[in-house]
Amino acid sequence: MQTPSYTFTPTRSANEALLHALAERFGAQLSTAQAVREQHGRDEGSIAAPPPDAVVFAQSTQDVADAVRLAAAHNTPVIAYGAGSSLEGHLLAIDGGISIDLSRMNQILSINAEDLTVTVQPGITRKQLNEALKHQGLFFPIDPGADASIGGMTATRASGTNAVRYGTLRENVLALEVVLASGETIRTGTRARKSSAGYDLTRLFVGSEGTLGIFTEITLKLYPLPEAVSAATCSFASIESAVRTVIDTIQMGVPIARVELLDGPTVAAVNRYSKLNLREEAMLLMEFHGSPASVQEQAQTVQDIASEHQGQAFEWADTPEERTRLWTARHNAYFAALQLRPGCRVITTDTCVPISRLADCLLASLQEVQASGIPYFLVGHVGDGNFHFGYLIDPDDSAERQRAEALSQALVARAIAMDGTCTGEHGIGIHKMHYLPEETGPGAVAVMRSIKQALDPQNILNPGKIF
């Protein structure tokens, strides 16, 4: 596997005729300003590309359909944009084209509390959604850390800290409204919890990263707010002890809601950034949901398991304010790590392995990065076998980038050899596309290409992503 090169020369940029047609249709909803284009031409990842040629600020399904139809008439790429928090180059206009910004489509269309479902527009963020739901005693549990848009989360099949108990977006999307590459709008799924009606198109579009269609409505499962919630931290003398605690917890069937791993240096960075005083050792950050009795039972079981692995300093955060402070600090670990090397960019890894192989994969990868001399941070949604190294590189040092990419390649090869995946939640985008054939095999990639060709014969929807 060769180290990827990221140099892009757009060949399908929007022509003057398309820009004129867009201006006539959208007026002030269209921008060609350099600053606006640049904002929509970068994400939180380390890959740089030219910005899109124009940005359409959609406010309705009809806006999206019309923008796609006009772009298709001029054979011009279209890239959906949500909150810009992706990490793998998903939203980069590598072949030119227009960006459709969906952030103004941020309404809750219906809440069906009796059925535990909600239908939303794609631009609403997870925090906005949960703020509206809490007054009805409900919440949407998928929490990737960033305040991502629901559309972007659905496009990347996101998961995050609560996935160990509540699953990923794949398990929590019931129905979609999708604009296809032709500009046609279709619906997939219903609010029913199950169906055997034909192909499962909903699952096909979830995780398709904007390459098969653009979401304009999304129907999600909801959950009652837990009667009791308790969070705790536990420190360990070694990463291995922390990971073994997690493995035993999952294998015993403890229904823990969240269990996050940070290594000692990452805890130190979080302390400095978030003004905390956590013990700067390998640490598990855990949360328990349920009735008061079940939460107490879960917590005691995990505390006993941790003690067997020399876990110490079990500290509780029982008030909402204390829990919020802890989880906010965890979600800001990425930004805390950036402060370790001002001006750096991050090459992120996103492997996920079966829980029984978690210790083997993580520890071998940790030894490699420590030997490399490249600054890094380590966090993980380890309850479902998913962890992230972030390699902090000088963006102008090509040799350092190559060393970091070599570390990423070694980690992915190790995970795949253990029946794992190159991406547990970030998606393929640009950065991980050279890993996909190794994981799925060329036959599976060929099937994906045939689906893409059938639904998007002009290859205008987010081209150059996934494969």
Side-chain angles (χ1 to χ4, degrees):
M1 188 185 302
Q2 295 182 342
T3 301
S5 176
Y6 301 113
T7 302
F8 307 106
T9 303
T11 60
R12 301 168 68 191
S13 296
N15 58 35
E16 288 300 320
L18 173 58
L19 294 177
H20 178 72
L22 289 170
E24 281 197 330
R25 166 61 178 83
F26 291 101
Q29 289 174 244
L30 175 73
S31 177
T32 56
Q34 184 72 19
V36 174
R37 292 166 51 221
E38 287 180 352
Q39 175 197 352
H40 291 76
R42 60 174 182 263
D43 63 6
E44 294 291 344
S46 63
I47 302 173
D53 305 302
V55 179
V56 173
F57 291 88
Q59 297 179 358
S60 66
T61 298
Q62 191 62 53
D63 282 353
V64 176
D66 288 349
V68 171
R69 194 173 292 113
L70 287 171
H74 294 268
N75 192 28
T76 300
V78 179
I79 304 99
Y81 183 96
S85 58
S86 59
L87 291 164
E88 308 297 347
H90 297 91
L91 56 81
L92 302 185
I94 60 176
D95 207 18
I98 65 170
S99 173
I100 299 183
D101 186 313
L102 300 161
S103 61
R104 297 181 185 178
M105 294 178 64
N106 63 353
Q107 300 301 305
I108 295 176
L109 301 176
S110 65
I111 299 175
N112 298 93
E114 299 89 348
D115 299 320
L116 298 178
T117 68
V118 64
T119 299
V120 301
Q121 292 181 311
I124 193 169
T125 69
R126 64 175 185 87
K127 289 184 180 178
Q128 290 171 338
L129 176 57
N130 277 321
E131 182 64 26
L133 292 173
K134 70 180 183 181
H135 305 294
Q136 301 204 31
L138 302 171
F139 82 121
F140 180 65
I142 310 304
D143 177 6
D147 191 21
S149 70
I150 296 298
M153 290 167 61
T154 304
T156 55
R157 200 158 58 227
S159 50
T161 60
N162 277 317
V164 64
R165 178 157 180 166
Y166 297 98
T168 73
L169 254 295
R170 180 184 64 189
E171 291 81 39
N172 287 282
V173 175
L174 292 169
L176 296 167
E177 181 182 80
V178 187
V179 173
L180 301 179
S182 63
E184 178 187 359
T185 302
I186 67 168
R187 290 183 176 272
T188 75
T190 68
R191 289 198 304 110
R193 288 296 175 121
K194 63 181 182 179
S195 172
S196 296
Y199 294 159
D200 191 347
L201 295 181
T202 303
R203 299 285 85 70
L204 175 63
F205 283 105
V206 173
S208 61
E209 302 184 19
T211 64
L212 300 181
I214 298 177
F215 308 136
T216 50
E217 291 183 16
I218 303 165
T219 300
L220 303 165
K221 295 179 184 178
L222 299 178
Y223 297 81
L225 284 168
E227 183 183 356
V229 178
S230 186
T233 60
C234 185
S235 298
F236 296 83
S238 71
I239 288 283
E240 182 171 10
S241 296
V243 173
R244 297 292 178 191
T245 297
V246 174
I247 293 172
D248 288 355
T249 297
I250 300 303
Q251 291 178 342
M252 285 187 65
V254 178
I256 193 167
R258 294 172 165 179
V259 55
E260 296 288 299
L261 171 71
L262 294 81
D263 71 344
T266 304
V267 174
V270 166
N271 277 343
R272 286 193 293 273
Y273 186 84
S274 298
K275 306 299 188 292
L276 299 178
N277 58 354
L278 301 167
R279 290 172 64 116
E280 296 181 357
E281 298 176 327
M283 185 187 78
L284 295 179
L285 173 54
M286 298 164 282
E287 191 167 275
F288 308 93
H289 295 178
S291 67
S294 69
V295 164
Q296 184 176 2
E297 181 182 4
Q298 293 171 46
Q300 186 59 56
T301 300
V302 174
Q303 191 166 4
D304 292 342
I305 294 170
S307 297
E308 293 175 5
H309 293 283
Q310 290 75 53
Q312 54 188 326
F314 223 94
E315 297 183 4
W316 296 96
D318 291 318
T319 68
E321 294 77 16
E322 291 172 325
R323 291 196 302 272
T324 297
R325 192 174 181 214
L326 272 179
W327 286 110
T328 299
R330 163 59 186 92
H331 290 330
N332 287 336
Y334 178 88
F335 302 105
L338 291 178
Q339 301 304 309
L340 297 174
R341 192 176 189 186
C344 73
R345 297 303 296 267
V346 182
I347 292 179
T348 58
T349 70
D350 182 30
T351 49
C352 185
V353 295
I355 193 70
S356 64
R357 304 306 306 274
L358 177 60
D360 297 335
C361 189
L362 195 156
L363 294 171
S365 304
L366 182 62
Q367 187 175 25
E368 282 183 347
V369 69
Q370 289 175 338
S372 75
I374 292 179
Y376 73 95
F377 64 93
L378 169 62
V379 296
H381 315 309
V382 285
D384 48 19
N386 184 201
F387 61 91
H388 311 286
F389 282 99
Y391 308 125
L392 309 176
I393 65 163
D394 178 347
D396 299 321
D397 188 335
S398 59
E400 191 168 79
R401 177 183 284 275
Q402 288 182 345
R403 292 197 345 257
E405 292 286 5
L407 287 170
S408 178
Q409 289 175 359
L411 171 52
V412 168
R414 182 176 299 112
I416 292 173
M418 294 177 177
D419 290 328
T421 177
C422 65
T423 174
E425 58 187 1
H426 293 170
I428 294 292
I430 297 170
H431 184 231
K432 290 188 168 69
M433 69 170 67
H434 53 294
Y435 300 142
L436 189 60
E438 182 180 352
E439 178 173 328
T440 67
V445 174
V447 171
M448 295 181 204
R449 288 184 184 277
S450 68
I451 294 171
K452 169 70 168 173
Q453 175 65 24
L455 292 180
D456 183 15
Q458 290 180 268
N459 192 26
I460 66 166
L461 292 177
N462 209 11
K465 314 300 163 53
I466 300 183
F467 44 74

